Amino acid sequence: MKDGKQGKSQLTGILIVLIASALFSNLGVLTNFAYEAGMSPVAFATWRETIGALAMLVLLLFGVGRPAGSERKPLSQIPRWQWRNLCIAAVAFMSYSLAIFYAFVHLTVALAFLLFYIYPALVTLISAMTGREAFNAPKVTALVFALGGSTLAIVGQMVGGGAVRFDTIGILLGLGSAVGMSIYFLVGRGGYPSIPASYATTIFLLAGAAAFAGIGLAFGEKESLLQPFQNVSLWPMLLFAGVGAAAIPTMMLLTGIRMIGASRASILAIFEPVSGSVLAAIFLGQTLSFVQIIGGVLILSAAVILQRTPEPIGVSSIDIPS
């Protein structure tokens, strides 16, 4: 019976991460729409994070996402080491967002994503080296399938896309974004277990909003930041970006990380570029190539492998409160 509950919980966690990744993939299409409407990248990112944070605050105000009954714990009783880890995760989340944003300036977008999506390998290796999660043949196979699938999906976008743009700074930024996301996943698994995912998500989005707004003001983009007040037609897109492509998937992803572990969740999160390719084909008229379809099949195969291989009981990835 216990194995059955564990398997059901694992399947639920896998589905949560896949859905979160699919929702995150909307950002590619939404970003294109925002650029066409004249919004700068940093202005769009600022509003996305701000609206996402406000959406989380409204949900919490109505009790959605707040723990109930015996699960409720006063914030004052949460150990300091958990707040410390939450701050580390927030900085990692903000740093990854900033790094990948500026990587797009220096690199071809597809190349930036190729560098960024090495983070599942980093998460899996670090989890194994620290003894927090198992490192076995099925997981390695799933990782290889997922990395291969994401590479095919991204390369499919690069074919026929013109010259590849890159420089040293861009490469460092792309790798830096991978490191930031790795830290976010590793700390998120058990670094602040008493803090609800909804609370953590709100803090992450507030940190991101502050960072992007600060950058926008520092680089003289005040007018672009205020553009939604001058062009009200932008609001539906920004609302969807904040709620459906920031708040909800961020909370779902953190929930999934806690349910199935950092390495499994990071491997499954690679579903994002495949879903993004499908959305680009539907809404942007981009061609979905056979190579990208194969990439999607490989990533879904990785999900099947992970579902059929439960994490050994006793293996934990909870951070030590030191």
Side-chain angles (χ1 to χ4, degrees), residues 109-184:
V109 172
L111 179 56
F113 275 132
L114 279 176
L115 294 171
F116 171 65
Y117 280 111
I118 68 169
Y119 80 82
L122 296 177
V123 171
T124 302
L125 290 174
I126 293 173
S127 295
M129 291 171 63
T130 55
R132 290 170 176 162
E133 292 186 18
F135 191 65
N136 48 38
K139 185 176 289 185
V140 173
T141 302
L143 176 62
V144 171
F145 275 29
L147 290 175
S150 67
T151 300
L152 290 176
I154 295 170
V155 169
Q157 296 176 9
M158 296 175 68
V159 174
V164 176
R165 185 180 72 257
F166 71 96
D167 58 30
T168 302
I169 294 177
I171 291 173
L172 292 176
L173 286 169
L175 294 174
S177 68
V179 172
M181 184 59 100
S182 299
I183 295 173
Y184 175 74

Side-chain angles (χ1 to χ4, degrees), residues 52-103:
L54 292 175
M56 290 304 306
L57 290 172
V58 170
L59 290 175
L60 290 172
L61 182 65
F62 285 95
V64 179
R66 287 192 297 181
S70 60
E71 296 181 354
R72 182 177 298 173
K73 187 174 185 178
L75 297 181
S76 60
Q77 295 182 14
I78 296 176
R80 291 180 61 183
W81 64 269
Q82 292 194 31
W83 289 113
R84 178 204 66 193
N85 287 341
L86 180 68
C87 290
I88 292 173
V91 171
F93 182 85
M94 181 175 58
S95 299
Y96 121 76
S97 299
L98 294 174
I100 194 64
F101 164 70
Y102 281 106

Side-chain angles (χ1 to χ4, degrees), residues 1-321:
M1 181 67 69
K2 188 174 182 179
D3 290 341
K5 289 183 179 180
Q6 182 183 7
K8 184 177 180 179
S9 175
Q10 181 172 272
L11 176 60
T12 301
I14 287 174
L15 291 175
I16 286 174
V17 173
L18 289 175
I19 293 172
S21 299
L23 290 173
F24 274 128
S25 68
N26 282 293
L27 290 176
V29 173
L30 293 172
T31 301
N32 272 275
F33 288 158
Y35 294 170
E36 290 176 0
M39 287 194 77
S40 70
V42 71
F44 174 72
T46 299
W47 280 107
R48 184 192 74 208
E49 305 286 297
T50 300
I51 292 173
L54 292 175
M56 290 304 306
L57 290 172
V58 170
L59 290 175
L60 290 172
L61 182 65
F62 285 95
V64 179
R66 287 192 297 181
S70 60
E71 296 181 354
R72 182 177 298 173
K73 187 174 185 178
L75 297 181
S76 60
Q77 295 182 14
I78 296 176
R80 291 180 61 183
W81 64 269
Q82 292 194 31
W83 289 113
R84 178 204 66 193
N85 287 341
L86 180 68
C87 290
I88 292 173
V91 171
F93 182 85
M94 181 175 58
S95 299
Y96 121 76
S97 299
L98 294 174
I100 194 64
F101 164 70
Y102 281 106
F104 292 152
V105 176
H106 293 269
L107 304 174
T108 303
V109 172
L111 179 56
F113 275 132
L114 279 176
L115 294 171
F116 171 65
Y117 280 111
I118 68 169
Y119 80 82
L122 296 177
V123 171
T124 302
L125 290 174
I126 293 173
S127 295
M129 291 171 63
T130 55
R132 290 170 176 162
E133 292 186 18
F135 191 65
N136 48 38
K139 185 176 289 185
V140 173
T141 302
L143 176 62
V144 171
F145 275 29
L147 290 175
S150 67
T151 300
L152 290 176
I154 295 170
V155 169
Q157 296 176 9
M158 296 175 68
V159 174
V164 176
R165 185 180 72 257
F166 71 96
D167 58 30
T168 302
I169 294 177
I171 291 173
L172 292 176
L173 286 169
L175 294 174
S177 68
V179 172
M181 184 59 100
S182 299
I183 295 173
Y184 175 74
F185 269 78
L186 290 165
V187 179
R189 174 60 177 93
Y192 40 95
S194 300
I195 302 175
S198 54
Y199 293 4
T201 297
T202 305
I203 293 172
F204 296 152
L205 293 174
L206 285 172
F212 282 119
I215 289 174
L217 293 174
F219 283 88
E221 296 200 20
K222 180 180 178 181
E223 184 176 344
S224 184
L225 289 169
L226 296 176
Q227 188 176 356
F229 296 108
Q230 302 168 355
N231 183 3
V232 295
S233 64
L234 292 172
W235 283 109
M237 176 185 64
L238 292 175
L239 287 171
F240 180 77
V243 178
I248 294 176
T250 300
M251 183 168 62
M252 290 181 69
L253 181 59
L254 180 54
T255 300
I257 292 171
R258 291 177 169 182
M259 292 180 69
I260 64 175
S263 59
R264 288 169 177 263
S266 66
I267 291 170
L268 293 169
I270 294 183
F271 184 64
E272 183 179 343
V274 175
S275 179
S277 297
V278 173
L279 291 174
I282 296 173
F283 294 103
L284 301 178
Q286 297 181 7
T287 303
L288 187 63
S289 68
F290 180 71
V291 169
Q292 291 172 306
I293 295 174
I294 295 299
V297 171
L298 285 174
I299 293 174
L300 292 177
S301 297
V304 173
I305 293 172
L306 292 175
Q307 164 59 18
R308 294 174 62 87
T309 314
E311 193 77 26
I313 297 175
V315 176
S316 174
S317 63
I318 296 179
D319 289 354
I320 299 174

